[in-house]
Amino acid sequence: MFIITNHTLVSIKNAGKVYDIELDPNDTGKVLKERIYELTRIPAIRQKILIKGGKLGDDEVVSTLGLNTKQPIMVLGTPDKDLPSKPVEKQVFIEDLNKNQLATVSSDPSGLVNLGNTCYLNSSLQSIFQIEDIASRLKTFTVSGSSSSNPSQALLSALRLLFQQMSSKHEKVTPSLFLSLFRNVYPQFAEQDNRGFYKQQDAEEAFSQILTTLTNELKTQDLFKISLKSEQKCLALPDEPSKITYEDATKLNCHIDIKTNFLRDGILGGLKETIEKYNDTLQSNTEYEISRTITRLPKYLTVHFVRFFWRRDTQKKSKILRRVQFPFELDLSEMLDESIKAEKVKIRDGIRKIEKDNLDLIRDFKKSKKDTSLTPLEQKEEEELKVLSIKTKFADSLTSILPEGFKVDGATENPSSIYELTAVITHAGSSADSGHYQSFVKDASDLDGERWWKFNDDKVSSVSKDKIEALAGGGESDSALLLIYKAVGL
């Protein structure tokens, strides 16, 4: 248990700032709230103090709460100077609000306007926008020197502005500046047909080029870097020593053939291949088998369904329509190199136990009724507090099973072997040069992953988990092209 001795400092975090507060052993919640007000100017009645049990009562002795002193206590609320005047009209509830009123408390994300065959770009941007590490690094990005002399920096500056607009929850955002600069940096996306219209492009290629720019300018490669160990063995001479090499990649490929039914099968197929090359001992060409194992797992894992292939007869990128199922939680343990496998699996098992323990909290949260005495804004804040409380409990439990010295904040490598699905880019149609791209992004505020956002350019709607499962393919309707996974717990 956490016991506060005389004049012990307790940290709180509000609006990105950390404050230290001095407390005595018998100080109550009321005293803590008064100290918080002195530092943040948030009145006690507006303070949302994030502790495992939920709300902090005025009469509770803080030293008996078992707080985690390794992490600052999160405090939400609005300072005095920003407080609106108390309304005199009767209580209004969310279900009674009109469309304009609802917009002020809505958390719906922004759509992106299609500027003429730009769905491939919009779906890529929506998927990248949900990667918190990129969004946060862009906020502090500044152009060094003249943007005209560095087109890539100008592109990132436009991306930062675009993400700022999307963060403001506008119903629609027009990415015209970013599109113009994107085509300038990567001219292949400016290709036009014989009528002067911009052609449809491949979303995977657009996604990869944006990540390339982010890597070059923001040094984000560690967030996505997969390290691989390759063993090359001569099949005709099994006793000949294998050749070991190492390489890095930014995504895993899921190769699809007539036997591929599940994502696992396609990834394993991509990690093994047979090539033909010259052998000095045999003095002739012979077959070699290349087997790859993973030696580093990134925080964000991108998986590419290799659905498009070039057809000479039609001179187009045709699409493999086969249905390939993918999981919401992906475990890569069987693909890991023995040098890291045992530790990753141990932490995986610990995380699954924590997830099981958290299920009751999530169920209780889902079943809880809204407090009808609160305003719509207060109801929204109350829900956010409960979600943060559950997530913080998970984070505290995770810290206890991680290797000594491993810091969750700023981590770029997955400490375990499991990932959770956070975004899907899909394609509908039979060719990469036609059809339509959309993206589906997991609602970060929904603890059990049942609610997802569907981005059809500027049309944004909420869909269930069942809809995501239906994106496995099997025809010309929406089928997954890119999957973005995030390390569980990070």
Side-chain angles (χ1 to χ4, degrees), residues 62-76:
V62 180
S63 62
T64 65
L65 298 177
L67 302 179
N68 180 7
T69 56
K70 294 181 180 179
Q71 294 180 338
I73 301 168
M74 185 75 73
V75 177
L76 307 176

Side-chain angles (χ1 to χ4, degrees), residues 385-399:
L385 178 65
K386 290 177 181 177
V387 170
L388 277 172
S389 179
I390 293 172
K391 287 183 176 181
T392 299
K393 181 180 182 301
F394 182 93
D396 289 344
S397 301
L398 177 65
T399 300

